[in-house]
């Protein structure tokens, strides 16, 4: 792929937050003929959630795939071009030890400068236009600093 397309602009990993997706537990329950409310999902213990996920790996994988496709269609591939004008991408889904899927993606954009010695600064500027990071303040956002 690198011979044909060059160096990818982005490498991305998306993890499956299946334990935090209430709608997934509602979908699983519906396949068993049960309709459960959001409050009932919230009341499920960690063990109950894990059991539901482990007993329904196909539903979990399909839901993750749906969320990935939705993210690409409704965010990354829109005219907003949040990470640049995507011209090609390659996806690989793998499964963690507990069975949850995660995705690795290589993404090529047409508007990123080629990474060469003389274009290093332009490349850095391109990345800086699309990536931001900050450390949350422990006083104003204590729930983000639990590490």
């Amino acid at each position: 792929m690198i011979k044909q397309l060059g160096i990818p602009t982005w490498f991305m990993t998306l993890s499956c937050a299946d334990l935090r997706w209430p709608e997934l537990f509602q979908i699983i329950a519906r396949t068993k003929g049960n309709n459960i409310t959001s409050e009932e999902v919230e009341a499920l213990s960690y063990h109950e959630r894990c059991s539901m996920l482990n007993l329904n790996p196909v539903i979990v994988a399909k839901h993750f795939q749906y969320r990935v496709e939705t993210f690409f269609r409704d965010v990354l591939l829109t005219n907003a071009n949040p990470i640049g004008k995507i011209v090609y991408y390659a996806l690989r889904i793998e499964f963690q030890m507990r069975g949850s899927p995660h995705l690795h993606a290589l993404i090529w954009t047409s508007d990123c400068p080629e990474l060469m010695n003389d274009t290093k600064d332009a490349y850095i500027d391109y990345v800086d236009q699309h990536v931001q990071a900050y450390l949350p303040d422990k006083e104003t956002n204590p729930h983000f600093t639990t590490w």
Side-chain angles (χ1 to χ4, degrees):
M1 291 177 73
I2 291 174
K3 282 183 182 181
Q4 295 294 320
L5 301 169
I7 298 170
T9 309
W10 303 105
F11 174 82
M12 177 175 58
T13 298
L14 299 176
S15 297
C16 181
D18 49 11
L19 288 167
R20 296 186 179 102
W21 294 339
E23 74 280 5
L24 178 56
F25 295 99
Q26 291 172 320
I27 291 167
I28 292 170
R30 278 197 303 271
T31 66
K32 310 292 186 229
N34 301 323
N35 285 322
I36 60 175
T37 65
S38 297
E39 293 78 22
E40 291 171 315
V41 171
E42 286 296 318
L44 293 171
S45 69
Y46 175 79
H47 176 74
E48 290 169 318
R49 288 175 187 242
C50 288
S51 177
M52 288 177 75
L53 297 173
N54 290 337
L55 291 171
N56 298 280
V58 174
I59 294 171
V60 173
K62 290 295 288 179
H63 189 69
F64 178 70
Q65 179 181 358
Y66 168 77
R67 289 181 72 109
V68 167
E69 289 171 357
T70 301
F71 177 63
F72 270 77
R73 182 190 68 235
D74 295 348
V75 178
L76 296 181
L77 297 172
T78 64
N79 289 333
N81 299 322
I83 62 171
K85 175 71 175 148
I86 295 174
V87 291
Y88 192 81
Y89 59 92
L91 310 178
R92 162 81 68 177
I93 294 180
E94 299 172 347
F95 292 84
Q96 300 165 345
M97 288 298 287
R98 69 179 177 95
S100 291
H102 65 277
L103 173 133
H104 300 292
L106 296 175
I107 301 172
W108 287 262
T109 63
S110 62
D111 54 349
C112 180
E114 186 177 357
L115 181 56
M116 306 292 283
N117 282 336
D118 59 335
T119 61
K120 181 178 161 186
D121 289 337
Y123 191 87
I124 291 169
D125 289 341
Y126 179 86
V127 172
D128 285 345
Q129 289 173 18
H130 299 286
V131 178
Q132 296 179 9
Y134 72 97
L135 292 174
D137 182 85
K138 291 180 182 182
E139 300 299 320
T140 57
N141 295 302
H143 55 284
F144 290 132
T145 57
T146 58
W147 59 87

